[in-house]
Amino acid sequence: MAANPNVIYMDNNATTRVAPEVVEAMMPYLTEAYGNPSSMHTFGGVVGQAIKEARGKVAALLGADPEEIVFTSCGTESDSTAILSAIRTYPEKRHIITTRVEHPAVKNLCETLETATGHKYRVTKLKVDAEGMLDMQEYEAALTEDTAIVSVMWANNETGVIFPVEEMARMARQRGILFHTDAVQAVGKIPIDLKNLDIDLLSCSGHKLHAPKGVGILYVKRGTLFVPFMVGGHQEHGRRGGTENVASIVALGRACELAMEKMEEENSRVKKLRDRLEESLLTSIPKSMLNGHKTLRLPNTANISFEYVEGEAILLHMNQHGICASSGSACTSGSLEPSHVLRAMGVPFTAAHGSIRFSLSIYNTEEEVDLVIAKMPTIIANLRKLSPFWKG
Amino acid sequence: MWEYTDKVQQHFLSPQNVGEVEDPSGTGDVGSLACGDALRLTLKIDANDIIVDAKFKTFGCASAIASSSVLTEMVKGMPVDEAAKITNEDIAQALGGLPKEKMHCSVMGREALEAAIADYRGLTLPKAEGEVVCECFGVTDIEIIRAIKESNLRSVEEITNFTKAGGGCGKCEDKLRVLLETTVGGKAQIVIPQMPQKKMTALQKIKKIEEVLEREVRPGLRKDGGDIELVDVDGDFVTVALRGTCKSCSKSQTTIKEYVEKKLREFVLPSLIVEENS
């Protein structure tokens, strides 16, 4: 299936285009350089060297030491590894702190830990306010001697809201509690410098920053007690068994290198595009509202609710114009309720069902934003004509 | 992405008969904003009981809009008696099928048609009575009070789990609390008394647990032919075994969590976790 050249891709929090430079960097490891990095011969050794270089590039983007980087298969594996490692390290501690707006990779794992152990584990899910922000007093009060780990996402995938994880990690460290952050949406979009932070564990996913799907990272701060999730060979210094996904690891290294180069652009040009799109839609379309904090937000994400219309219907009309985005409506998820993130924020149902997430990348252009700005008002107006609730 | 048939796409992208007929003979309103879909169907019916016009307004996804659109096409020109026989399967079939997760969209079409015909005939369908408390999910006070009584609910959280009320914006929480208090009286107020600062010894704890089981728990269980035994206490974890009729009861987990654990937390230690011996 060939990609449609007319696609306007604004769904980059779901996944991203693999950068051409990344494809180029990984290709040799899908063809001639097929050696096993653990082999004794030079043929394998050069592959091992490529992984070492990739590890260095990832570490550079995160402000970490290369030895602190463990390659995994995805963000979800990194999250599971981090949280399960913490509770195995401290089996006597039976409390976990997380938030109500986590990605299912953390949310469902914590819920399973609660239920599958017959409530031996207690999970505190921190509330968020109408702008999606946490109450730091509630957080401080939740930290106890029994807390094994705190797992709080760096940036929210649906709204782009950024949590104060630096400060939260500091508070956890003061009490000797491990701190994990799911930074899948943050890495590559905002600057991160782990060596100066109290974050013990951090998850990242390749395909959110223009590397292919099927590769992720777990950062484990030096000195952090660690129990592996995948037990097997000596790979990754015994922290993750299994022969390395060499091509994807090399790809991720290159993607991190590119992300560092483009960080400035992401936070200036992409942010400007996003701001223009957002302001224009909110002005030209009545009864529309922004979900999430206005400024404490990723530079690429805009989550906008169009009241009295339903998200799936909006997406399918956008699809007619080749515009790709996401929705927090119930119908798109197959459940009866809209997004848990928007519900936790108290977004009214009239708005939650009609929420659309636009997430941009460095590949988006002014022309694309112009087209979306031109098409959206008609799409919403046409659907509102059908809506029994619209008194326009 | 849903796999929609061409027919669904066609009706979704170019819906037929959008709007409301003037001076309708019958109107059917179903669904709500909370459910994510709602439909208003208006019918014009002539002196010979023939549906001469049908229009719709729908809030919902592609399949909800397509179901409504195809329904208006189906009923136009149809005698009312015949239209009354249309099932949701008929609607789905007219669209060449719907994904199974989306069948409720065709049900909504059938319900709206039923409601509109009932309205035309001057019948009242058994509608939800009472006053709406939770506007997000359209739950009435009567439904909530019934759930509190039937399922023995004791907290606002439980009401949300059973009825969905309060699960949206949460603005009705105070109303729910009032309903709960008036329905169950003082029983809703499970006040956890301040515990003495001094830590109990393991022996004191076990004795206290045994005492509370005897005084607060056993009488209720024995009345139903059941019983309970304390198996082990390990820190905050209390292991018990249910005996007699309780043992085979399908609600044993609820008994343990909702009844035994609450009593022990109330009278012994608020941090206790009760588990069944397996």
Side-chain angles (χ1 to χ4, degrees):
Chain A
M1 196 174 134
N4 185 342
N6 298 321
V7 157
I8 297 177
Y9 192 76
M10 296 197 178
D11 204 9
N12 288 280
N13 287 11
T15 194
T16 58
R17 170 186 179 178
V18 182
E21 298 92 326
V22 169
V23 176
E24 196 188 327
M26 75 188 288
M27 279 315 279
Y29 302 92
L30 292 171
T31 51
E32 66 269 24
Y34 58 82
N36 189 322
S38 300
S39 297
M40 281 301 114
H41 41 72
T42 313
F43 187 64
V46 293
V47 176
Q49 189 57 35
I51 290 184
K52 193 178 167 196
E53 279 168 26
R55 203 185 302 280
K57 290 171 184 172
V58 172
L61 178 67
L62 298 175
D65 275 343
E67 303 85 77
E68 294 174 319
I69 304 298
V70 180
F71 288 111
T72 65
S73 68
C74 59
T76 299
E77 186 196 321
S78 301
D79 288 336
S80 276
T81 306
I83 293 171
L84 294 175
S85 169
I87 66 171
R88 283 169 184 156
T89 307
Y90 302 105
E92 72 287 357
K93 297 190 176 188
R94 297 293 179 85
H95 180 225
I96 298 168
I97 299 175
T98 182
T99 76
R100 294 195 181 185
V101 296
E102 290 302 307
H103 186 275
V106 169
K107 181 177 172 277
N108 291 348
L109 176 67
C110 289
E111 282 168 7
T112 303
L113 278 172
E114 237 181 345
T115 53
T117 61
H119 294 269
K120 276 190 178 127
Y121 282 91
R122 196 162 56 82
V123 178
T124 299
K125 292 186 196 163
L126 302 172
K127 294 190 199 72
V128 293
D129 64 16
E131 291 184 309
M133 300 306 291
L134 295 169
D135 173 357
M136 292 297 272
Q137 279 174 353
E138 188 200 4
Y139 171 58
E140 185 160 25
L143 293 163
T144 67
E145 277 184 8
D146 196 37
T147 309
I149 188 168
V150 178
S151 179
V152 171
M153 67 201 325
W154 198 311
N156 188 274
N157 49 312
E158 292 190 27
T159 60
V161 164
I162 297 171
F163 283 148
V165 287
E166 297 100 326
E167 171 66 7
M168 296 177 87
R170 198 179 56 79
M171 289 161 70
R173 171 67 58 84
Q174 281 169 353
R175 292 160 179 81
I177 299 167
L178 283 180
F179 190 92
H180 166 249
T181 181
D182 178 338
V184 162
Q185 296 293 346
V187 173
K189 293 180 190 139
I190 52 174
I192 290 176
D193 192 13
L194 288 169
K195 65 179 170 298
N196 295 317
L197 299 177
D198 292 323
I199 292 167
D200 301 298
L201 299 149
L202 173 142
S203 306
C204 164
S205 172
H207 75 104
K208 309 285 192 194
L209 62 148
H210 307 289
K213 294 150 193 75
V215 64
I217 301 160
L218 178 64
Y219 159 87
V220 184
K221 198 174 201 66
R222 180 173 291 141
T224 305
L225 294 174
F226 182 80
V227 183
F229 176 57
M230 282 191 38
V231 180
H234 58 90
Q235 294 89 352
E236 301 297 298
H237 296 287
R239 290 175 297 186
R240 201 261 189 192
T243 300
E244 298 86 341
N245 182 0
V246 176
S248 292
I249 288 172
V250 170
L252 181 49
R254 183 75 181 108
C256 285
E257 205 174 35
L258 290 171
M260 262 179 107
E261 287 168 22
K262 310 271 184 182
M263 186 71 76
E264 172 89 32
E265 183 185 348
E266 178 88 31
N267 285 279
S268 53
R269 190 182 70 82
V270 176
K271 184 170 183 295
K272 268 189 200 142
L273 285 179
R274 190 275 314 265
D275 288 346
R276 188 160 75 83
L277 174 70
E278 181 176 301
E279 278 154 28
S280 180
L281 293 181
L282 290 172
T283 321
S284 64
I285 301 174
K287 291 278 177 192
S288 57
M289 54 184 253
L290 177 72
N291 295 315
H293 197 279
K294 182 89 179 80
T295 52
L296 295 170
R297 198 154 44 110
L298 293 175
N300 79 321
T301 311
N303 188 315
I304 302 176
S305 276
F306 305 102
E307 286 193 87
Y308 307 109
V309 282
E310 197 279 326
E312 187 206 283
I314 303 173
L315 288 180
L316 289 180
H317 274 291
M318 290 165 70
N319 193 46
Q320 290 295 110
H321 301 289
I323 307 167
C324 306
S326 288
S327 168
S329 90
C331 284
T332 49
S333 64
S335 76
L336 288 172
E337 288 179 325
S339 135
H340 71 283
V341 175
L342 299 182
R343 276 186 294 141
M345 289 162 63
V347 174
F349 274 77
T350 51
H353 281 296
S355 69
I356 299 291
R357 176 191 70 187
F358 299 90
S359 46
L360 280 60
S361 81
I362 48 162
Y363 294 112
N364 287 118
T365 63
E366 298 282 349
E367 293 71 34
E368 289 177 330
V369 169
D370 287 339
L371 192 123
V372 176
I373 290 171
K375 296 292 178 193
M376 286 306 290
T378 319
I379 291 172
I380 302 300
N382 284 341
L383 283 170
R384 279 178 176 165
K385 273 186 215 152
L386 298 180
S387 174
F389 301 111
W390 179 248
K391 314 282 182 235
Chain B
M1 187 156 187
W2 302 109
E3 282 183 24
Y4 286 133
T5 63
D6 290 347
K7 197 89 179 171
V8 171
Q9 301 229 25
Q10 185 192 321
H11 275 279
F12 165 64
L13 293 172
S14 325
Q16 306 297 304
N17 309 309
V18 175
E20 292 184 35
V21 300
E22 248 178 69
D23 191 18
S25 321
T27 302
D29 271 310
V30 293
S32 75
L33 270 172
C35 314
D37 42 24
L39 163 57
R40 159 167 285 197
L41 180 69
T42 48
L43 302 177
K44 191 80 186 168
I45 300 168
D46 71 4
N48 303 319
D49 263 9
I50 305 284
I51 298 170
V52 289
D53 200 6
K55 287 198 165 156
F56 80 92
K57 279 200 155 185
T58 291
F59 161 77
C61 60
S63 51
I65 291 169
S67 294
S68 312
S69 170
V70 81
L71 174 66
T72 56
E73 293 277 271
M74 287 164 78
V75 298
K76 270 205 213 174
M78 214 181 231
V80 172
D81 284 344
E82 208 179 311
K85 291 178 199 152
I86 291 178
T87 66
N88 68 297
E89 294 287 342
D90 296 336
I91 298 170
Q93 259 176 32
L95 289 170
L98 282 172
K100 69 178 189 318
E101 296 87 346
K102 295 285 186 177
M103 282 303 284
H104 66 264
C105 296
S106 62
V107 174
M108 186 170 76
R110 199 251 302 141
E111 284 175 352
L113 181 59
E114 258 178 17
I117 292 174
D119 181 41
Y120 163 66
R121 287 174 172 165
L123 302 169
T124 38
L125 282 179
K127 269 192 173 173
E129 289 172 343
E131 186 197 335
V132 173
V133 176
C134 168
E135 288 178 6
C136 294
F137 283 109
V139 191
T140 65
D141 53 353
I142 291 179
E143 290 168 276
I144 293 166
I145 290 169
R146 198 172 139 190
I148 294 173
K149 285 181 177 163
E150 285 182 357
S151 306
N152 206 18
L153 308 183
R154 286 290 180 272
S155 70
V156 172
E157 201 184 342
E158 286 176 338
I159 295 178
T160 307
N161 290 341
F162 277 75
T163 66
K164 278 190 171 187
C169 68
K171 280 184 191 142
C172 60
E173 263 183 40
D174 287 338
K175 286 187 193 166
L176 295 178
R177 203 163 289 122
V178 171
L179 273 180
L180 182 66
E181 278 165 18
T182 50
T183 310
V184 301
K187 280 182 280 183
Q189 303 281 356
I190 300 174
V191 182
I192 298 171
Q194 282 297 308
M195 287 298 137
Q197 289 303 304
K198 217 179 86 191
K199 242 184 151 179
M200 272 189 264
T201 66
L203 193 64
Q204 281 170 335
K205 203 190 288 174
I206 293 168
K207 269 187 164 168
K208 191 91 198 262
I209 290 171
E210 188 52 56
E211 196 185 299
V212 173
L213 286 179
E214 183 60 40
R215 188 179 74 224
E216 300 287 337
V217 179
R218 285 214 175 89
L221 296 184
R222 282 184 182 147
K223 209 168 66 196
D224 295 329
D227 205 347
I228 191 163
E229 231 177 79
L230 182 62
V231 178
D232 194 13
V233 179
D234 180 13
D236 278 342
F237 294 97
V238 181
T239 312
V240 297
L242 290 171
R243 302 283 184 233
T245 49
C246 292
K247 200 179 169 189
S248 50
C249 176
S250 61
K251 292 209 178 79
S252 67
Q253 198 52 36
T254 320
T255 307
I256 298 235
K257 283 287 159 201
E258 296 305 315
Y259 188 56
V260 183
E261 190 173 89
K262 271 189 185 164
K263 287 288 177 199
L264 291 181
R265 284 180 174 186
E266 186 179 350
F267 292 103
V268 187
L269 262 182
S271 55
L272 291 181
I273 294 157
V274 180
E275 283 161 351
E276 192 176 4
N277 192 25
S278 47

